[in-house]
Amino acid sequence: MNHNFLVHKKDFFDCDVRSSEIPRTKENEVVFKIESYAFTSNNITYAVVGDSMGYWNFFPTHEPNGIIPVWGFANVVESGHTEIKVGERFYGYWPMAHYLKVQPAHIKSHGLVDGSSHRSKLPPLYNYYARVKGTSSKEENGYYSLIKPLFTTAYLNYRFLQEERFFNASQIVLTSASSKTALGIAYMLFANREDHGKKIIGLTSESNQDFVESTGFYDQVIPYGDVSDKLTDRSTMVIDLSGNTELLQNLTYQLKEQLKFVSLIGLADWTSAGPTKQIPKARFFFAPEYAQKLFADLGPEKANKMINEAQEKFTKHVSGWMELEFVDFEKGVKKLYIDMLNGKVHPSKGYIVTIKNE
């Protein structure tokens, strides 16, 4: 059977593993068996904006449920396409399930695109599946699944802000500073600080302060309760990974004309999210859209090379203090998901869901 983790679109706590028939191939179709994938607060964001941003549309199921997309590895177990062989391995965007059927298109030596009709109008970045050559350890695969999508967003956001000269701010504030995307952006700022000279400030919960400081990426780490006292009144731009509307309103009131720009990215604090129309100079950053621009400007090969080189350096930093925890799909995916919803996971851990061979 194909086991799917379904989430009610209007009540995220209403969730469970449900069974269905394993998909079978017709001509020019391929079935993947999903091997493992990372699960982070970014995946919760996919659910929160699932309707408005179309994330529920990638892997449709029976209403009122949806399937949250994840990033990881899978193997071809059935092929009706002459150019795709059983046993080939791919990295890409999968459902929280055991199996996925795709219609391969634009097949190259490095990968393919799912040409299924329901995905034709969705962002191309999410429809691409990269061929995996050679073998890697369980840990290497885990770090790659965990870091690749989040760091790509971080790198793209850094490039965007760099092009905009950081909106002439002298300090850059990152909310939810312990989130992995925030750490990726903070790393890029830290690694290139000689080029921009900005002060890097992380806002986080008091319980995560020591961890965030230990990464070494931030010049200053401020608990949320101390922001009004400790955040210096100077030209500031905010990179928001929290989605906490009240926090952004408070920062707007505190900084007044010193607030130059707010880059909206994540929803780590999804229960506190609300309309952002009252936040002046705020703009949502949609990574796939900027990726298309960067790839058009530099060419896919050069752009990917730059991202991958930066990602490798970041991974070396992260692997020193981020512990991987492997979670069995059948035994633990629901608990992991609920814990992530409730914010009960420690930022020093990276969670990888694994699916046993049947």
Side-chain angles (χ1 to χ4, degrees), residues 94-252:
W94 313 103
M96 293 180 72
H98 279 207
Y99 296 90
L100 174 68
K101 182 169 71 172
V102 305
Q103 295 180 349
H106 306 291
I107 301 169
K108 307 290 184 183
S109 60
H110 50 74
L112 59 86
V113 171
D114 183 3
S116 299
S117 58
H118 73 278
R119 295 178 69 164
S120 62
K121 295 182 180 180
L122 298 171
L125 180 70
Y126 296 124
N127 293 334
Y128 177 73
Y129 293 88
R131 269 193 173 101
V132 179
K133 298 177 181 179
T135 58
S136 300
S137 69
K138 184 179 179 181
E139 286 71 25
E140 288 173 323
N141 291 333
Y143 280 117
Y144 190 89
S145 296
L146 185 72
I147 292 171
K148 177 63 175 176
L150 302 179
F151 186 78
T152 298
T153 296
Y155 182 90
L156 294 172
N157 185 255
Y158 172 80
R159 286 282 306 212
F160 160 68
L161 297 175
Q162 184 185 44
E163 287 179 2
E164 298 290 342
R165 299 181 182 275
F166 302 97
F167 295 88
N168 296 316
S170 60
Q171 64 184 10
I172 301 173
V173 173
L174 291 92
T175 68
S176 289
S178 67
S179 70
K180 293 171 180 62
T181 306
L183 290 171
I185 299 171
Y187 166 76
M188 288 300 299
L189 291 166
F190 170 78
N192 296 282
R193 63 186 312 142
E194 290 186 5
D195 296 332
H196 58 73
K198 311 299 182 184
K199 184 177 182 181
I200 311 164
I201 301 171
L203 306 187
T204 190
S205 64
E206 188 172 355
S207 60
N208 287 338
Q209 182 178 2
D210 289 345
F211 165 74
V212 175
E213 289 176 340
S214 73
T215 67
F217 299 154
Y218 297 94
D219 296 308
Q220 183 181 13
V221 179
I222 305 175
Y224 290 121
D226 296 339
V227 172
S228 60
D229 294 328
K230 294 185 178 180
L231 181 61
T232 305
D233 182 19
R234 56 195 289 197
S235 60
T236 305
M237 70 151 296
V238 175
I239 304 173
D240 181 51
L241 287 304
S242 72
N244 187 319
T245 308
E246 182 179 356
L247 171 64
L248 293 178
Q249 289 173 336
N250 290 340
L251 287 170
T252 299

Side-chain angles (χ1 to χ4, degrees), residues 272-288:
S272 301
T276 57
K277 292 181 179 179
Q278 299 178 22
I279 312 299
K281 302 175 185 175
R283 191 193 315 168
F284 182 72
F285 179 77
F286 188 50

